Amino acid sequence: MSNEVQNEKAKFSLGGATLYGINAVIGSGIFLLPKKIYQDLGPASIAAMVFDAILVLMLAVCFAEVAGYFNKNGGAFQYAKAAFGDFVGFNVGFLGWVVTVTAWSAMAAGFAKLFIVTFPAFEGQNLLLSISLIVLLSLMNIAGLKTSKMFTLSMTIIKLIPIIGFAICTLFFIGHGIDKGNFTPFLQLAPGKSLFDGVSATALIVFYAFIGFESMPIVAGEMRNPEKNVPKAILGSISIVSVLYILIIAGAIAMLGNDIMNTNAPVQDAFAMMIGPAGRWIVAIGALVSITGLNVGESIMVPRYGAAIAEEGLLPSFIARKTANGAPIAAILISGGCACLFLLTGSFEQLATLSVVFRFIQYIPTAAAVVVLRKKDMGIKPVFRVPFGPVIPIIATIVSLLMIWGDTPKNFLYGGIGILVASVCYFLFGKKRV
């Protein structure tokens, strides 16, 4: 069997792509999310979750439509490049690659923290655990997509077991929460905060919990029939995650009520009340598996982002170099090496705080690209088309800008600096030579 056929078989199917999308979004943070959003709105945080799910879906449908034009890696980089040219595309891609590398280092650090919480004997070995994980996953990635794919799908299924189990239990315990009065009054504002303050703070926190859905189109080239399957997988994964998030929030409130503010492990405590002490241990292991799965997904996606930019001639060609089994070896080594460097210097913590605005530099051009690419002859009809003409892309763009402002107005300054740095890099080595 030829390498080309083997590489095609190793790619994600529609089901695998959907699981990859779920894995990219759901991290260990979901197990802490109920307390974070309850503090500003009380039980009304469930409504905020529904509202945010709709907003995220607006962005997701934009990605779903433009993804239908492409069968290669790159995601938002490819969309921006096709719609607005090399300069904008490079800015989106370069900043996207930087963001994903720093996010990977932060996730590796998060893995070490959770691992030590679960296995205290490793106390003090945070850096060793984090770097070892990145090195191990990089080597697995070099071995080929098949190994990484199997590990990703296995981790996703395992981490979904406690989440789905909790969600199912929620359906049986909602009545218990209503009877105990844990959902009344429905709106409980934090002292000294207005409804606008509460909604703004909660919406932003919830939105962060959905970040990651844009990762799937970045590895579109690693999926079978990507023009059809990526749009379906984006919409399917976001829909599934939204339902699970809403049930997790509702279940924690049903069991704990106001006591949710007196615990550092709301989902663990709530599950223990549902099924007994085993619930706490199941959630603890689930959180560790969850962040492990995120790291595996990042190890696949991050290098392929950089390689996609190089394949388009906007980064040095050696970055796109692949092994016989299709692994972008140079990009893997660069991405893993930079992630380890960020861990060694501790700079990932500062850079991760800036990742919010740079994430939106992926979202806003993609929403705008929906309108622009419709007017271009792309040679293919996308499998999904955003309804209501340009209305949803425009709303998605406005919401994105409001989210950036809602975090801190300084984000616009940080974004401007990032774009300036990326622009300099474009003219130094990204501009195509003719």
Coordinates of all heavy atoms in Angstrom, one line a residue, residues 286-374:
G286 N -11.4 12.8 35.2 CA -11.9 13.3 33.9 C -11.2 14.6 33.6 O -11.0 14.9 32.4
A287 N -11.0 15.5 34.6 CA -10.3 16.8 34.4 C -8.9 16.6 33.8 O -8.5 17.3 32.9 CB -10.3 17.6 35.7
L288 N -8.2 15.6 34.4 CA -6.8 15.3 34.0 C -6.8 14.8 32.6 O -6.0 15.2 31.7 CB -6.2 14.3 34.9 CG -4.7 13.9 34.6 CD1 -3.8 15.1 34.6 CD2 -4.2 12.9 35.6
V289 N -7.7 13.8 32.3 CA -7.8 13.3 30.9 C -8.2 14.4 29.9 O -7.7 14.4 28.8 CB -8.8 12.1 30.9 CG1 -9.1 11.7 29.4 CG2 -8.4 11.0 31.7
S290 N -9.1 15.3 30.4 CA -9.6 16.4 29.5 C -8.4 17.3 29.1 O -8.3 17.6 27.9 CB -10.6 17.2 30.3 OG -11.1 18.2 29.4
I291 N -7.6 17.7 30.0 CA -6.5 18.6 29.6 C -5.4 17.8 28.9 O -4.7 18.4 28.0 CB -5.9 19.3 30.8 CG1 -5.2 20.6 30.4 CG2 -5.1 18.4 31.7 CD1 -4.9 21.6 31.5
T292 N -5.3 16.5 29.1 CA -4.4 15.7 28.3 C -4.8 15.7 26.9 O -4.0 15.8 25.9 CB -4.3 14.3 28.9 OG1 -3.9 14.3 30.2 CG2 -3.3 13.4 28.1
G293 N -6.1 15.5 26.7 CA -6.7 15.5 25.3 C -6.5 16.8 24.6 O -6.2 16.8 23.4
L294 N -6.7 17.9 25.4 CA -6.4 19.2 24.8 C -5.0 19.3 24.3 O -4.7 19.8 23.2 CB -6.7 20.3 25.8 CG -8.1 20.9 25.9 CD1 -8.1 22.0 26.9 CD2 -8.5 21.5 24.5
N295 N -4.0 18.8 25.0 CA -2.6 18.9 24.7 C -2.4 18.1 23.4 O -1.6 18.5 22.5 CB -1.7 18.4 25.8 CG -1.4 19.6 26.8 OD1 -0.5 20.3 26.6 ND2 -2.2 19.6 27.9
V296 N -3.0 16.9 23.3 CA -2.8 16.0 22.2 C -3.4 16.8 20.9 O -2.7 16.8 19.9 CB -3.5 14.7 22.3 CG1 -3.4 13.8 21.1 CG2 -3.0 13.9 23.5
G297 N -4.5 17.4 21.1 CA -5.1 18.1 19.9 C -4.2 19.3 19.5 O -4.0 19.5 18.3
E298 N -3.7 20.0 20.5 CA -2.8 21.1 20.2 C -1.5 20.6 19.4 O -1.0 21.3 18.5 CB -2.4 21.8 21.4 CG -3.5 22.6 22.1 CD -4.0 23.8 21.3 OE1 -3.2 24.7 21.2 OE2 -5.1 23.7 20.8
S299 N -1.0 19.4 19.8 CA 0.2 18.9 19.2 C 0.0 18.6 17.7 O 0.9 18.6 16.9 CB 0.7 17.7 19.9 OG -0.1 16.6 19.7
I300 N -1.2 18.3 17.4 CA -1.6 18.1 16.0 C -1.8 19.4 15.2 O -1.3 19.6 14.1 CB -2.9 17.2 15.8 CG1 -2.6 15.8 16.4 CG2 -3.3 17.1 14.4 CD1 -3.9 15.0 16.5
M301 N -2.5 20.3 15.8 CA -2.9 21.5 15.2 C -1.8 22.6 15.0 O -1.6 23.1 14.0 CB -4.1 22.1 15.9 CG -4.7 23.4 15.3 SD -3.9 24.9 16.0 CE -4.6 24.8 17.7
V302 N -1.1 22.8 16.1 CA -0.2 23.9 16.2 C 0.9 23.9 15.0 O 1.1 24.8 14.3 CB 0.5 24.0 17.5 CG1 1.6 25.1 17.5 CG2 -0.5 24.4 18.6
P303 N 1.6 22.7 14.9 CA 2.6 22.7 13.8 C 2.0 22.9 12.4 O 2.6 23.5 11.5 CB 3.2 21.3 14.0 CG 2.9 20.9 15.4 CD 1.6 21.5 15.6
R304 N 0.8 22.3 12.2 CA 0.2 22.4 10.9 C -0.2 23.8 10.5 O -0.4 24.1 9.4 CB -0.9 21.4 10.8 CG -0.4 19.9 10.7 CD -1.5 18.9 10.9 NE -0.9 17.6 10.7 CZ -0.1 16.9 11.5 NH1 0.2 17.4 12.7 NH2 0.3 15.7 11.2
Y305 N -0.4 24.6 11.5 CA -0.7 26.0 11.3 C 0.5 26.7 10.6 O 0.4 27.4 9.6 CB -1.1 26.7 12.6 CG -2.1 27.9 12.4 CD1 -2.8 28.4 13.5 CD2 -2.2 28.5 11.2 CE1 -3.7 29.5 13.3 CE2 -3.1 29.6 11.0 CZ -3.8 30.1 12.1 OH -4.6 31.2 11.9
G306 N 1.6 26.5 11.3 CA 2.9 27.1 10.7 C 3.2 26.5 9.3 O 3.6 27.3 8.4
A307 N 3.0 25.2 9.2 CA 3.3 24.6 7.9 C 2.4 25.1 6.8 O 2.9 25.2 5.7 CB 3.2 23.0 8.1
A308 N 1.2 25.3 7.1 CA 0.2 25.8 6.1 C 0.6 27.2 5.6 O 0.5 27.5 4.4 CB -1.2 25.9 6.7
I309 N 1.1 28.0 6.5 CA 1.6 29.4 6.0 C 2.8 29.2 5.1 O 2.9 29.9 4.1 CB 2.0 30.2 7.3 CG1 0.8 30.4 8.2 CG2 2.4 31.6 6.8 CD1 1.1 31.0 9.5
A310 N 3.7 28.3 5.5 CA 4.9 28.1 4.7 C 4.6 27.5 3.3 O 5.2 27.8 2.3 CB 5.9 27.2 5.4
E311 N 3.6 26.6 3.3 CA 3.1 26.0 2.0 C 2.6 27.0 1.0 O 2.7 26.8 -0.2 CB 2.1 24.9 2.3 CG 2.6 23.6 2.9 CD 1.5 22.7 3.4 OE1 0.4 23.1 3.3 OE2 1.9 21.6 3.9
E312 N 2.1 28.1 1.5 CA 1.6 29.2 0.7 C 2.7 30.2 0.3 O 2.5 31.2 -0.3 CB 0.5 29.9 1.4 CG -0.7 29.1 1.6 CD -1.4 28.6 0.4 OE1 -1.5 29.3 -0.6 OE2 -1.9 27.4 0.4
G313 N 3.9 29.9 0.7 CA 5.1 30.7 0.3 C 5.3 31.9 1.2 O 6.0 32.9 0.8
L314 N 4.6 32.0 2.4 CA 4.7 33.2 3.2 C 5.6 33.0 4.4 O 5.7 33.9 5.2 CB 3.3 33.6 3.6 CG 2.3 34.0 2.5 CD1 0.9 34.3 3.0 CD2 2.9 35.2 1.7
L315 N 6.2 31.8 4.6 CA 7.2 31.6 5.5 C 8.3 30.7 4.8 O 8.0 30.1 3.8 CB 6.7 30.8 6.8 CG 5.9 31.7 7.8 CD1 5.4 30.7 8.9 CD2 6.8 32.7 8.5
P316 N 9.5 30.7 5.3 CA 10.5 29.9 4.7 C 10.0 28.5 4.4 O 9.4 27.8 5.2 CB 11.6 29.9 5.7 CG 11.5 31.2 6.4 CD 10.0 31.4 6.5
S317 N 10.4 28.0 3.2 CA 9.8 26.7 2.7 C 10.2 25.5 3.6 O 9.4 24.5 3.6 CB 10.3 26.5 1.3 OG 11.7 26.4 1.2
F318 N 11.3 25.5 4.3 CA 11.7 24.4 5.1 C 10.7 24.1 6.2 O 10.6 22.9 6.6 CB 13.1 24.6 5.6 CG 13.2 25.5 6.8 CD1 13.0 25.0 8.1 CD2 13.4 26.8 6.7 CE1 13.1 25.8 9.2 CE2 13.5 27.7 7.8 CZ 13.3 27.2 9.1
I319 N 9.9 25.1 6.6 CA 8.9 24.9 7.7 C 7.8 24.0 7.2 O 7.2 23.3 8.0 CB 8.4 26.2 8.1 CG1 9.5 27.1 8.7 CG2 7.2 26.1 9.1 CD1 9.0 28.5 9.2
A320 N 7.6 23.9 5.9 CA 6.5 23.0 5.3 C 7.0 21.6 5.0 O 6.2 20.8 4.6 CB 6.0 23.7 4.1
R321 N 8.3 21.4 5.2 CA 8.9 20.1 4.9 C 8.2 18.9 5.7 O 8.0 19.0 6.9 CB 10.4 20.1 5.1 CG 11.1 18.9 4.6 CD 12.6 19.1 4.7 NE 13.0 20.3 4.0 CZ 14.1 21.0 4.3 NH1 14.8 20.7 5.4 NH2 14.4 22.1 3.6
K322 N 7.9 17.8 5.0 CA 7.2 16.7 5.6 C 7.9 15.4 5.4 O 8.7 15.3 4.5 CB 5.8 16.6 4.9 CG 4.8 17.7 5.2 CD 3.5 17.5 4.5 CE 2.5 18.6 4.8 NZ 1.2 18.4 4.2
T323 N 7.7 14.5 6.4 CA 8.2 13.2 6.3 C 7.4 12.3 5.3 O 6.4 12.8 4.8 CB 8.2 12.5 7.7 OG1 6.8 12.4 8.1 CG2 9.0 13.3 8.7
A324 N 7.8 11.1 5.1 CA 7.1 10.2 4.2 C 5.7 10.0 4.6 O 4.8 9.7 3.8 CB 7.9 8.9 4.0
N325 N 5.4 10.0 5.9 CA 4.1 9.8 6.4 C 3.3 11.0 6.6 O 2.2 11.0 7.2 CB 4.1 9.0 7.7 CG 4.9 9.6 8.8 OD1 5.3 10.8 8.7 ND2 5.3 8.9 9.8
G326 N 3.8 12.1 6.0 CA 3.0 13.4 6.0 C 3.1 14.3 7.2 O 2.4 15.3 7.3
A327 N 4.0 14.0 8.1 CA 4.2 14.8 9.3 C 5.1 16.0 9.0 O 6.2 15.8 8.5 CB 4.9 14.0 10.4
P328 N 4.6 17.2 9.3 CA 5.4 18.4 9.0 C 6.5 18.6 10.1 O 6.4 19.3 11.1 CB 4.4 19.6 9.1 CG 3.4 19.0 10.1 CD 3.3 17.6 9.9
I329 N 7.6 17.9 9.9 CA 8.6 17.7 10.9 C 9.3 19.0 11.4 O 9.5 19.2 12.6 CB 9.7 16.6 10.5 CG1 10.7 16.4 11.6 CG2 10.4 17.1 9.2 CD1 11.6 15.2 11.4
A330 N 9.6 19.9 10.5 CA 10.2 21.1 10.9 C 9.3 22.0 11.7 O 9.7 22.5 12.7 CB 10.7 21.9 9.6
A331 N 8.0 22.0 11.3 CA 7.0 22.8 12.1 C 6.8 22.2 13.4 O 6.6 22.9 14.4 CB 5.7 22.9 11.3
I332 N 6.8 20.9 13.5 CA 6.6 20.2 14.8 C 7.8 20.5 15.7 O 7.5 20.9 16.9 CB 6.6 18.6 14.6 CG1 5.3 18.3 13.8 CG2 6.7 17.9 15.9 CD1 5.2 16.8 13.4
L333 N 9.0 20.5 15.2 CA 10.2 20.8 16.1 C 10.2 22.3 16.5 O 10.5 22.6 17.7 CB 11.5 20.5 15.3 CG 11.7 19.0 15.0 CD1 12.9 18.8 14.2 CD2 11.8 18.1 16.3
I334 N 9.8 23.2 15.6 CA 9.8 24.6 15.9 C 8.7 24.9 16.9 O 8.9 25.6 18.0 CB 9.6 25.4 14.7 CG1 10.8 25.3 13.7 CG2 9.3 26.9 15.0 CD1 10.6 26.0 12.4
S335 N 7.5 24.3 16.7 CA 6.4 24.6 17.6 C 6.6 24.0 19.0 O 6.4 24.7 20.0 CB 5.1 24.0 17.0 OG 4.8 24.6 15.8
G336 N 7.1 22.8 19.0 CA 7.4 22.1 20.3 C 8.5 22.8 21.0 O 8.5 23.0 22.3
G337 N 9.5 23.2 20.3 CA 10.7 23.9 20.9 C 10.3 25.3 21.5 O 10.7 25.6 22.6
C338 N 9.5 26.0 20.7 CA 9.0 27.3 21.2 C 8.1 27.2 22.5 O 8.2 28.0 23.4 CB 8.3 28.1 20.2 SG 9.4 28.7 18.8
A339 N 7.3 26.2 22.5 CA 6.4 25.9 23.6 C 7.2 25.6 24.9 O 7.0 26.1 26.0 CB 5.4 24.8 23.3
C340 N 8.3 24.8 24.7 CA 9.2 24.5 25.8 C 9.9 25.7 26.3 O 10.1 25.9 27.5 CB 10.2 23.4 25.4 SG 9.4 21.7 25.2
L341 N 10.3 26.5 25.3 CA 11.1 27.8 25.7 C 10.2 28.7 26.5 O 10.6 29.3 27.5 CB 11.5 28.5 24.4 CG 12.4 29.7 24.6 CD1 13.7 29.4 25.3 CD2 12.7 30.4 23.2
F342 N 8.9 28.8 26.1 CA 8.0 29.6 26.9 C 7.8 29.1 28.3 O 7.7 29.9 29.3 CB 6.6 29.7 26.2 CG 6.6 30.5 24.9 CD1 5.8 30.1 23.8 CD2 7.4 31.7 24.8 CE1 5.8 30.9 22.7 CE2 7.4 32.4 23.6 CZ 6.6 32.0 22.6
L343 N 7.8 27.8 28.4 CA 7.7 27.2 29.7 C 8.9 27.5 30.6 O 8.8 27.8 31.8 CB 7.5 25.7 29.6 CG 6.1 25.2 29.2 CD1 6.1 23.7 28.8 CD2 5.1 25.4 30.3
L344 N 10.1 27.4 30.0 CA 11.4 27.6 30.7 C 11.5 29.0 31.2 O 12.0 29.3 32.2 CB 12.6 27.2 29.8 CG 12.8 25.7 29.6 CD1 13.8 25.5 28.4 CD2 13.2 25.0 30.8
T345 N 11.0 30.0 30.4 CA 11.2 31.4 30.7 C 10.0 31.9 31.5 O 10.1 33.0 32.2 CB 11.3 32.2 29.4 OG1 10.1 32.1 28.7 CG2 12.5 31.8 28.6
G346 N 8.9 31.1 31.5 CA 7.7 31.6 32.3 C 6.9 32.6 31.5 O 5.9 33.1 32.0
S347 N 7.4 33.0 30.3 CA 6.7 34.0 29.5 C 5.3 33.6 29.0 O 4.6 34.5 28.6 CB 7.6 34.5 28.4 OG 7.9 33.4 27.5
F348 N 5.1 32.3 29.0 CA 3.8 31.9 28.5 C 2.6 32.5 29.2 O 1.5 32.7 28.7 CB 3.7 30.3 28.5 CG 3.5 29.7 29.8 CD1 2.2 29.5 30.3 CD2 4.6 29.4 30.6 CE1 2.0 28.9 31.6 CE2 4.4 28.8 31.9 CZ 3.1 28.6 32.3
E349 N 2.8 32.7 30.5 CA 1.7 33.2 31.4 C 1.3 34.6 30.9 O 0.1 35.0 30.8 CB 2.1 33.2 32.8 CG 2.3 31.8 33.4 CD 2.7 31.9 34.9 OE1 3.0 33.0 35.4 OE2 2.7 30.8 35.5
Q350 N 2.3 35.5 30.6 CA 2.0 36.8 30.1 C 1.4 36.8 28.7 O 0.5 37.5 28.4 CB 3.3 37.7 30.1 CG 3.8 38.0 31.5 CD 4.5 36.8 32.2 OE1 5.2 36.0 31.5 NE2 4.4 36.7 33.5
L351 N 2.0 35.9 27.9 CA 1.6 35.9 26.5 C 0.2 35.3 26.4 O -0.6 35.7 25.5 CB 2.5 35.0 25.6 CG 3.9 35.7 25.4 CD1 4.9 34.7 24.8 CD2 3.8 36.9 24.5
A352 N -0.1 34.3 27.3 CA -1.5 33.7 27.3 C -2.6 34.7 27.6 O -3.7 34.6 27.1 CB -1.5 32.5 28.3
T353 N -2.2 35.7 28.4 CA -3.2 36.7 28.7 C -3.6 37.6 27.5 O -4.7 38.2 27.4 CB -2.8 37.6 29.8 OG1 -1.6 38.3 29.4 CG2 -2.5 36.8 31.1
L354 N -2.7 37.6 26.5 CA -2.9 38.4 25.3 C -3.6 37.6 24.2 O -4.0 38.1 23.2 CB -1.6 38.9 24.8 CG -0.8 39.9 25.7 CD1 0.5 40.3 25.0 CD2 -1.6 41.1 26.0
S355 N -3.7 36.3 24.5 CA -4.3 35.4 23.4 C -5.7 35.7 23.1 O -6.2 35.4 22.0 CB -4.1 33.9 23.9 OG -5.0 33.7 25.0
V356 N -6.4 36.4 24.0 CA -7.8 36.7 23.8 C -8.0 37.5 22.5 O -8.7 37.2 21.6 CB -8.5 37.4 25.0 CG1 -9.9 37.8 24.6 CG2 -8.4 36.5 26.2
V357 N -7.3 38.6 22.5 CA -7.4 39.6 21.4 C -6.9 38.9 20.1 O -7.5 39.1 19.0 CB -6.7 40.9 21.7 CG1 -5.2 40.7 21.8 CG2 -7.0 41.9 20.6
F358 N -5.8 38.1 20.2 CA -5.3 37.5 19.0 C -6.2 36.4 18.5 O -6.2 36.1 17.3 CB -3.9 37.0 19.2 CG -2.9 38.1 19.5 CD1 -1.9 37.9 20.4 CD2 -3.0 39.3 18.8 CE1 -1.0 38.9 20.7 CE2 -2.1 40.3 19.1 CZ -1.1 40.1 20.0
R359 N -7.0 35.8 19.4 CA -8.0 34.8 18.9 C -9.1 35.5 18.0 O -9.5 35.0 17.0 CB -8.7 34.2 20.1 CG -7.9 33.3 21.0 CD -7.8 31.9 20.5 NE -7.1 31.0 21.4 CZ -6.9 29.8 21.2 NH1 -7.3 29.2 20.1 NH2 -6.2 29.1 22.1
F360 N -9.4 36.7 18.4 CA -10.4 37.4 17.7 C -9.9 37.9 16.3 O -10.7 38.2 15.4 CB -11.0 38.6 18.5 CG -12.0 38.2 19.5 CD1 -11.7 38.2 20.9 CD2 -13.3 37.9 19.1 CE1 -12.6 37.8 21.8 CE2 -14.2 37.5 20.1 CZ -13.9 37.4 21.4
I361 N -8.6 38.0 16.2 CA -8.0 38.3 14.9 C -8.2 37.1 14.0 O -8.0 37.2 12.7 CB -6.5 38.7 15.1 CG1 -6.4 40.0 15.8 CG2 -5.8 38.8 13.7 CD1 -5.0 40.5 16.1
Q362 N -8.5 35.9 14.5 CA -8.9 34.8 13.7 C -10.4 34.9 13.3 O -10.8 34.6 12.2 CB -8.7 33.5 14.4 CG -7.4 33.3 15.1 CD -6.3 33.2 14.1 OE1 -6.2 32.3 13.3 NE2 -5.3 34.2 14.2
Y363 N -11.2 35.4 14.3 CA -12.7 35.4 14.1 C -13.2 36.5 13.2 O -14.0 36.2 12.3 CB -13.4 35.5 15.5 CG -13.0 34.5 16.5 CD1 -13.1 34.8 17.9 CD2 -12.6 33.2 16.2 CE1 -12.8 33.8 18.9 CE2 -12.3 32.3 17.1 CZ -12.4 32.6 18.5 OH -12.1 31.6 19.4
I364 N -12.7 37.7 13.4 CA -13.3 38.8 12.7 C -13.0 38.7 11.2 O -13.9 38.9 10.4 CB -12.7 40.1 13.3 CG1 -13.3 40.3 14.7 CG2 -13.1 41.3 12.4 CD1 -12.7 41.5 15.4
P365 N -11.8 38.4 10.7 CA -11.6 38.3 9.3 C -12.4 37.1 8.7 O -12.8 37.2 7.5 CB -10.1 38.0 9.2 CG -9.5 38.6 10.4 CD -10.5 38.4 11.5
T366 N -12.6 36.1 9.4 CA -13.4 34.9 8.9 C -14.8 35.3 8.7 O -15.4 35.0 7.7 CB -13.3 33.8 9.9 OG1 -11.9 33.3 10.0 CG2 -14.1 32.6 9.4
A367 N -15.4 36.1 9.7 CA -16.8 36.6 9.5 C -16.9 37.5 8.3 O -17.8 37.4 7.5 CB -17.2 37.3 10.8
A368 N -15.9 38.4 8.1 CA -15.9 39.3 7.0 C -15.7 38.5 5.7 O -16.2 38.9 4.6 CB -14.8 40.3 7.1
A369 N -14.9 37.4 5.7 CA -14.6 36.7 4.5 C -15.8 36.0 4.0 O -15.9 35.7 2.7 CB -13.5 35.6 4.8
V370 N -16.8 35.7 4.8 CA -18.0 35.1 4.3 C -18.6 36.0 3.2 O -19.0 35.5 2.1 CB -19.1 34.9 5.4 CG1 -20.4 34.5 4.9 CG2 -18.6 33.9 6.5
V371 N -18.7 37.3 3.5 CA -19.3 38.2 2.5 C -18.4 38.3 1.3 O -18.9 38.3 0.1 CB -19.6 39.6 3.2 CG1 -20.1 40.6 2.2 CG2 -20.5 39.4 4.4
V372 N -17.1 38.5 1.5 CA -16.2 38.7 0.3 C -16.1 37.5 -0.6 O -16.2 37.6 -1.8 CB -14.8 39.1 0.9 CG1 -13.8 39.2 -0.3 CG2 -14.9 40.4 1.7
L373 N -16.0 36.3 0.0 CA -15.8 35.1 -0.8 C -17.0 34.7 -1.6 O -17.0 34.0 -2.6 CB -15.3 33.9 0.1 CG -14.0 34.1 0.7 CD1 -13.6 32.8 1.5 CD2 -12.9 34.3 -0.4
R374 N -18.2 35.1 -1.1 CA -19.4 34.9 -1.9 C -19.4 35.6 -3.2 O -20.0 35.2 -4.2 CB -20.7 35.4 -1.1 CG -21.1 34.4 0.0 CD -22.3 34.9 0.8 NE -22.7 34.0 1.9 CZ -23.7 34.3 2.7 NH1 -24.3 35.5 2.6 NH2 -24.0 33.4 3.6

